[in-house]
Amino acid sequence: MSRKFFPGCKVKARYPEASEWLAEQVIGRGYADEIVGCCRTDHQSLTADDTAVCICNNCMAMIDEDAENGDLENIWVLVDNDPGFPLPSYEGKTMGVQDCGRAYDRIEVQDAVRSLMRKMGIEVVELPDSREESRFCGQSFLRAAPEQDASFAPKRYVEDAAERGIFTPLDPDAMQARLDKHAAAIPTDEVCCYCFACDMGLEAGGKDAINMIELVSGKFRKE
């Protein structure tokens, strides 16, 4: 049995230093045996003896529906369950937590993110549309779903999407108005998220978005 970590192509591009650090932790702490490439090209090579470990909610969706893997795990759940993980301290910080609409039903991920924030000394502020109520994934839910994503994960990105009213294309002005409105409803200046698209959408709406990979690693894009 092999444990394979999918580090997320867009996650690596947006948070390169933090991603490199996390990959070292993944191997060093035994969360996975190997780091693999892009989920789009590599997920179908998974077998029933393999466990896929993911950081990206989109990777999880496509692997969940279109791969033969035995198990699927999220990196933040593994970190939260590791009592020896070297978490930094942000004692005294107060942050909202943005749930990703792609992970609306992944309760274990939502719980792990909040648990890790509290372990790092952060006071967690819930948003009006938290957990299963989230319809937010930055600009990505305000465009049509990419054809490849829909083909790999039709239940989540076609059937569920129709019921939940996501992937509704808007023109640029309407998109910006939607992002502004979402950000204005968040009562904190800083917002923790666990999705790069959520991060970008929150920033576009005027919030200081900080991704979980930045908080856990202590390596921030804006420094």
Side-chain angles (χ1 to χ4, degrees):
M1 176 176 144
S2 179
R3 296 178 61 85
K4 300 183 179 183
F5 178 56
F6 290 82
C9 299
K10 292 184 179 180
V11 175
K12 287 173 62 179
R14 189 163 174 81
Y15 321 100
E17 188 178 1
S19 292
E20 183 177 352
W21 176 88
L22 183 61
E24 293 173 357
Q25 297 294 320
V26 164
I27 298 299
R29 305 189 74 82
Y31 298 161
D33 308 311
E34 61 179 299
I35 311 294
V36 295
C38 177
C39 73
R40 295 178 185 276
T41 57
D42 296 338
H43 75 278
Q44 291 175 332
S45 66
L46 291 164
T47 72
D49 292 328
D50 295 329
T51 295
V53 178
C54 298
I55 186 172
C56 172
N57 299 311
N58 197 35
C59 291
M60 291 189 75
M62 293 190 287
I63 290 172
D64 201 13
E65 292 192 45
D66 199 57
E68 300 297 328
N69 56 296
D71 290 311
L72 178 62
E73 299 180 2
N74 179 272
I75 187 62
W76 303 129
V77 176
L78 293 174
V79 171
D80 187 44
N81 288 332
D82 182 353
F85 196 93
L87 292 170
S89 173
Y90 302 99
E91 198 68 41
K93 271 191 174 292
T94 298
M95 299 178 67
V97 55
Q98 175 65 64
D99 287 310
C100 176
R102 296 178 190 267
Y104 72 96
D105 56 351
R106 299 197 188 280
I107 298 172
E108 73 285 358
V109 179
Q110 299 163 2
D111 288 345
V113 166
R114 288 159 171 78
S115 175
L116 286 170
M117 290 175 70
R118 294 187 178 102
K119 287 177 180 177
M120 291 185 284
I122 301 169
E123 181 181 347
V124 178
V125 176
E126 296 289 350
L127 307 190
D129 56 344
S130 65
R131 296 185 179 267
E132 71 275 5
E133 297 300 321
S134 178
R135 304 290 190 275
F136 187 78
C137 193
Q139 291 92 332
S140 68
F141 276 5
L142 306 179
R143 304 185 179 107
E147 289 185 10
Q148 189 179 59
D149 292 17
S151 68
F152 285 152
K155 182 181 185 307
R156 187 173 293 265
Y157 291 161
V158 179
E159 296 173 25
D160 286 1
E163 293 181 5
R164 299 176 64 233
I166 59 175
F167 295 123
T168 54
L170 299 178
D171 64 51
D173 289 342
M175 181 184 292
Q176 186 60 54
R178 181 76 62 85
L179 296 173
D180 290 345
K181 181 179 180 181
H182 180 84
I186 298 175
T188 60
D189 292 329
E190 293 184 319
V191 188
C192 171
C193 50
Y194 47 99
C195 163
F196 76 91
C198 289
D199 182 335
M200 295 172 65
L202 290 167
E203 286 193 347
K207 287 295 179 180
D208 186 1
I210 304 175
N211 197 279
M212 180 58 69
I213 195 173
E214 299 178 279
L215 286 173
V216 169
S217 67
K219 301 178 187 303
F220 298 88
R221 291 172 297 120
K222 300 163 191 171
E223 289 185 345

